[in-house]
Amino acid sequence: MSLFFYITWVLVLSSKFYLASAETSDKIGINYGKLGSNLPSSYQSIESIKFLQAGSVKIYDANPEILKLLSGTDLKVSIMVQNHEIIDIASKQKVADQWVHDNVLSFYPETMIRFILVGNEILSQSSEEYKQIWKNLVPAMHRIKKCLNAHNIHNIKVGTPLAMDIFQTTFPPSNGTFRSDISASVMEPLLQFLNRTKSFFFLDVYPYFAWSTNPKTISLDFALLRETNTSYTDPNSGLVYTNLLDQMLDSVIFAMAKLGYSDIRLAISETGWPNAGDFDQIGANIYNAATYNRNLIKKMTSKPALGTPARPGSIIPTFIFSLYDENQKTGPGTERHWGMLHGNGVPIYEIDLSGNRSLSQYRPLPLAHNNVPYKGKVWCVVARGADLLALTSALGYACGQGNGTCDALVPGQRCYQPLSLYWHASYAFSSYWAKFMGKGATCYFNGLAQQTIINPSEF
């Protein structure tokens, strides 16, 4: 029997394990981030989470106010060790013990903490500083788990959320393989820990990104989990896929199996679809966001559980990203538009996380108008209400990057007039963005800039 067919055979047999797993839940969770300047209070936010009928909530720290407010609720809770805390926790057991005391024992069991996630997508960062954190990830998880065991706490699982960039290959799913720089050094010890402690492999998985970078090859319906006649058959495994999410999840399963771990359960720590974005960000709209999340809920709350082609019938704990649009997140426009609620708490679209509401019971959504790439010109200009002092600093930054970014603003040059901070900053932002977008630059400038399709010279 070839290695590949052996792996596939093992995966099929192991799928029986997931049918009877009692620790998993088919109730949808929600990611509650707080990177917004105008967000409702923690109390109001938890009331909103209840109103949306979430079964669990994931926060990006161990905020004591939030954990106290969650006491006595039916919400299962996931808390997080911050990236910068990992090395200290890994180095000394007493540091880990203190962390557990302060962030778990002070609230548990009245607050139903069920997951401790160590770090957030740390393998997506490759600086020397982060490579040191890589080495300490699994040791820190061991320290946390040891402390939980010492307190006879066995219903809290320890894991770490990872992004899809941990893979060297994901397509077809049967070719799923971890990156060579982390496979032996990080992934093998991590999988050994997850397997021994019967924890979950937490994955941040976004079909939006896979589709938006290749919309001509990947069907939008396939990415949105729509039930159509579109399918893909993996040429190696013979497994048939009817949506992109299952493909991405099964690539993880095959990658783990290649390292000898075919029984580790999956959990989706983040997934979702942006409700808006920049002009050049295809498919980021309310229609698609609501459609994806509603179909996701239907899939993940189905009874009996659907699982994936490689693991039919498995229950996959899932957290949707996110509760709010968060206006202080940096990066392209989509980064600030993943919420189901506006920053003021008003719903962006109707959603019921319980899965009890059929798709036909929702009101019509606004039509999508950006499901094909925008082919016109886009400029980056000063945002309305921009702070003048901050604008001066941002102008200096943009012009200080060289590469002729602000040559046209020199006295006597073609764009020196009109002599205004607003005009000069708008030119500098557009020039900087055009020259450096290939290196990851965005039209944001800490909230001071915004995109426009109107030529600034016509303002």
Side-chain angles (χ1 to χ4, degrees):
M1 181 183 295
S2 71
L3 176 61
F4 174 77
F5 283 106
Y6 173 76
I7 290 173
T8 305
W9 176 68
V10 169
L11 290 175
V12 171
L13 288 181
S14 67
S15 68
K16 297 178 181 179
F17 166 79
Y18 302 96
L19 295 174
S21 177
E23 294 180 29
T24 54
S25 171
D26 60 358
K27 292 186 176 180
I28 298 293
I30 193 165
N31 283 278
Y32 172 21
K34 301 192 72 174
L35 294 177
S37 63
N38 56 347
L39 301 183
S41 68
S42 299
Y43 173 80
Q44 292 171 312
S45 298
I46 292 170
E47 290 302 303
S48 293
I49 292 170
K50 292 178 185 176
F51 178 78
L52 292 170
Q53 300 194 60
S56 53
V57 58
K58 173 172 161 271
I59 58 178
Y60 290 84
D61 50 23
N63 185 299
E65 179 191 15
I66 294 174
L67 292 178
K68 187 174 182 180
L69 287 169
L70 287 166
S71 176
T73 70
D74 293 331
L75 290 165
K76 295 180 180 178
V77 182
S78 172
I79 61 176
M80 185 173 287
V81 174
Q82 303 285 285
N83 290 353
H84 68 268
E85 298 175 300
I86 291 175
I87 292 178
D88 283 346
I89 288 175
S91 63
K92 297 177 183 177
Q93 186 61 47
K94 69 176 184 180
V95 176
D97 294 344
Q98 189 64 50
W99 194 96
V100 171
H101 175 273
D102 294 345
N103 301 297
V104 179
L105 302 182
S106 297
F107 308 98
Y108 176 92
E110 289 77 16
T111 298
M112 293 199 297
I113 299 171
R114 290 297 179 265
F115 298 124
I116 298 175
L117 300 183
V118 180
N120 189 37
E121 296 188 352
I122 69 164
L123 299 182
S124 298
Q125 306 290 333
S126 58
S127 66
E128 289 304 314
E129 176 187 359
Y130 265 87
K131 286 183 178 179
Q132 289 301 312
I133 299 178
W134 293 6
K135 298 176 183 178
N136 288 275
L137 173 61
V138 177
M141 295 169 72
H142 277 286
R143 298 278 195 195
I144 296 288
K145 185 61 177 175
K146 182 178 180 180
C147 184
L148 293 175
N149 288 343
H151 290 279
N152 202 31
I153 298 174
H154 301 293
N155 63 348
I156 297 179
K157 297 299 182 184
V158 179
T160 186
L162 301 173
M164 289 296 294
D165 57 11
I166 61 172
F167 296 98
Q168 190 165 307
T169 308
T170 59
F171 186 80
S174 57
N175 280 353
T177 308
F178 295 118
R179 287 185 348 230
S180 58
D181 63 321
I182 59 173
S183 183
S185 60
V186 183
M187 298 311 301
E188 285 195 34
L190 173 61
L191 295 177
Q192 184 181 42
F193 172 85
L194 299 178
N195 187 62
R196 183 178 63 81
T197 61
K198 295 181 171 56
S199 188
F200 295 81
F201 190 107
F202 287 88
L203 187 71
D204 293 352
V205 54
Y206 289 97
Y208 169 74
F209 291 127
W211 169 78
S212 63
T213 56
N214 204 0
K216 292 184 179 179
T217 302
I218 302 173
S219 159
L220 178 58
D221 286 342
F222 196 71
L224 291 174
L225 309 177
R226 281 195 175 124
E227 295 179 357
T228 65
N229 293 326
T230 303
S231 66
Y232 170 78
T233 301
D234 188 307
N236 300 317
S237 68
L239 296 174
V240 178
Y241 292 89
T242 58
N243 64 77
L244 182 55
L245 178 64
D246 279 349
Q247 280 190 347
M248 298 171 79
L249 294 175
D250 275 0
S251 68
V252 185
I253 294 170
F254 278 98
M256 291 192 294
K258 287 183 175 71
L259 294 182
Y261 296 93
S262 57
D263 288 342
I264 297 173
R265 295 171 292 177
L266 288 183
I268 298 175
S269 39
E270 286 184 11
T271 191
W273 196 284
N275 61 67
D278 296 330
F279 287 104
D280 56 352
Q281 291 189 288
I282 182 175
N285 55 65
I286 291 175
Y287 186 94
N288 291 347
T291 299
Y292 176 82
N293 284 333
R294 291 170 184 176
N295 287 336
L296 175 77
I297 293 165
K298 178 184 176 183
K299 172 180 170 60
M300 293 303 181
T301 60
S302 292
K303 293 180 175 60
L306 298 178
T308 70
R311 285 187 183 167
S314 63
I315 295 174
I316 304 173
T318 299
F319 293 87
I320 293 179
F321 188 86
S322 62
L323 179 60
Y324 294 120
D325 275 359
E326 298 172 68
N327 66 356
Q328 291 181 327
K329 296 193 72 174
T330 60
T334 51
E335 285 298 301
R336 294 172 287 285
H337 292 284
W338 291 89
M340 289 178 277
L341 306 180
H342 289 290
N344 60 7
V346 175
I348 297 173
Y349 51 84
E350 294 179 293
I351 197 80
D352 178 358
L353 300 181
S354 71
N356 293 327
R357 190 172 181 179
S358 68
L359 299 180
S360 62
Q361 291 178 307
Y362 290 106
R363 287 176 291 186
L365 292 162
L367 295 178
H369 298 290
N370 64 342
N371 285 342
V372 294
Y374 178 73
K375 296 181 180 179
K377 290 186 177 181
V378 182
W379 290 266
C380 182
V381 298
V382 173
R384 291 180 182 177
D387 179 79
L388 292 180
L389 186 60
L391 200 58
T392 301
S393 177
L395 173 60
Y397 171 81
C399 291
Q401 301 309 302
N403 205 25
T405 301
C406 295
D407 286 358
L409 297 178
V410 174
Q413 296 300 312
R414 60 188 177 86
C415 293
Y416 179 68
Q417 297 290 343
L419 185 58
S420 79
L421 177 61
Y422 181 93
W423 166 252
H424 277 208
S426 288
Y427 177 90
F429 288 171
S430 267
S431 179
Y432 174 89
W433 183 48
K435 292 180 185 296
F436 294 103
M437 68 171 64
K439 297 181 179 180
T442 61
C443 179
Y444 183 63
F445 290 92
N446 292 324
L448 298 173
Q450 65 184 23
Q451 288 188 2
T452 181
I453 56 176
I454 301 174
N455 190 328
S457 64
E458 300 175 3
F459 284 2

